[in-house]
């Protein structure tokens, strides 16, 4: 696995370039794909993420041997699996800027511990803001902080914004459909 594909890549946080998922989407059953990569994803079309190190910008560029289909008008497509990591405690999936989160989004507008996801009543996922500085939104509606209201249930196709970073929420079937429709 290259540095650009590593889940611990500083540039991408826990984001995985779409090219790293193509073979599994083609070769694995949906159940096996889900076992390997998770059941929910935040999809990011990123031109750049703003580095937390200061005013300089971190440009998300994939290596030159990547499939050109992964790039659209200079954008790189990344999938952030929403799943508990090895260091996770409890039933929550943490999202934030620092490496101790399950989903790491290295952008200065994302708080160190920004939000968390958990299983929703009746299945699926729900997201809750963790008292972040720049807020969490789903489809342009603010997500309440814990203790300030109920978590927001997510459905495939929802727009999710953490700070100034905007994602599309995809369940495993939606991601597989996307990958298969855009096969090189």
């Amino acid at each position: 696995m290259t540095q650009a594909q590593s889940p611990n890549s500083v540039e991408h946080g826990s984001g995985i370039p779409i090219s790293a998922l193509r073979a599994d989407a083609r070769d694995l059953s949906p159940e096996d794909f889900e076992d390997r990569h998770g059941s929910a994803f935040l999809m990011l079309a990123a031109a750049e993420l703003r580095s937390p190190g200061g005013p300089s910008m971190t440009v998300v560029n994939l290596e030159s041997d990547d499939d050109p289909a992964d790039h659209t008008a200079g954008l790189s497509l990344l999938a952030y699996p929403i799943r508990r990591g090895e260091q996770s405690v409890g039933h929550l999936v943490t999202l934030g800027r620092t490496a101790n989160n399950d989903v790491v989004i290295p952008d200065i507008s994302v708080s160190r511990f920004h939000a968390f996801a958990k299983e929703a009543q009746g299945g699926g996922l729900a997201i809750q803001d963790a008292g972040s500085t720049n807020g969490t939104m789903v489809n342009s509606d603010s997500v309440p902080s814990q203790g300030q209201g109920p978590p927001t249930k997510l459905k495939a196709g929802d727009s999710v914004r953490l700070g100034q970073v905007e994602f599309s929420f995809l369940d495993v079937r939606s991601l597989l459909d996307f990958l298969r429709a855009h096969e090189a």
Side-chain angles (χ1 to χ4, degrees), residues 51-130:
S51 171
S56 64
M57 302 296 268
T58 300
V59 178
V60 179
N61 289 320
L62 302 181
E63 295 177 358
S64 61
D65 62 346
D66 286 334
D67 186 340
D70 290 347
H71 308 280
T72 305
L75 299 179
S76 300
L77 298 177
L78 301 171
Y80 287 78
I82 304 173
R83 65 188 312 182
R84 293 177 54 236
E86 293 175 10
Q87 77 276 6
S88 294
V89 178
H91 66 287
L92 302 177
V93 177
T94 61
L95 298 91
R97 189 178 69 228
T98 58
N100 61 332
N101 286 286
D102 299 310
V103 180
V104 179
I105 303 152
D107 186 273
I108 196 166
S109 71
V110 175
S111 293
R112 287 184 203 118
F113 172 48
H114 195 98
F116 58 88
K118 62 182 180 177
E119 189 173 324
Q121 287 184 326
L125 275 182
I127 192 167
Q128 185 100 53
D129 190 78

Side-chain angles (χ1 to χ4, degrees), residues 127-184:
I127 192 167
Q128 185 100 53
D129 190 78
S132 67
T133 301
N134 294 316
T136 302
M137 301 193 67
V138 173
N139 298 328
S140 301
D141 294 324
S142 290
V143 173
S145 294
Q146 186 175 20
Q148 303 297 312
T152 302
K153 188 165 181 177
L154 297 170
K155 61 185 179 313
D158 280 348
S159 171
V160 176
R161 194 177 88 203
L162 302 173
Q164 297 302 311
V165 183
E166 186 131 2
F167 300 90
S168 294
F169 175 75
L170 300 174
D171 58 21
V172 70
R173 300 260 180 215
S174 299
L175 179 63
L176 288 171
D177 289 345
F178 175 85
L179 289 168
R180 291 173 181 152
H182 296 90
E183 263 204 84

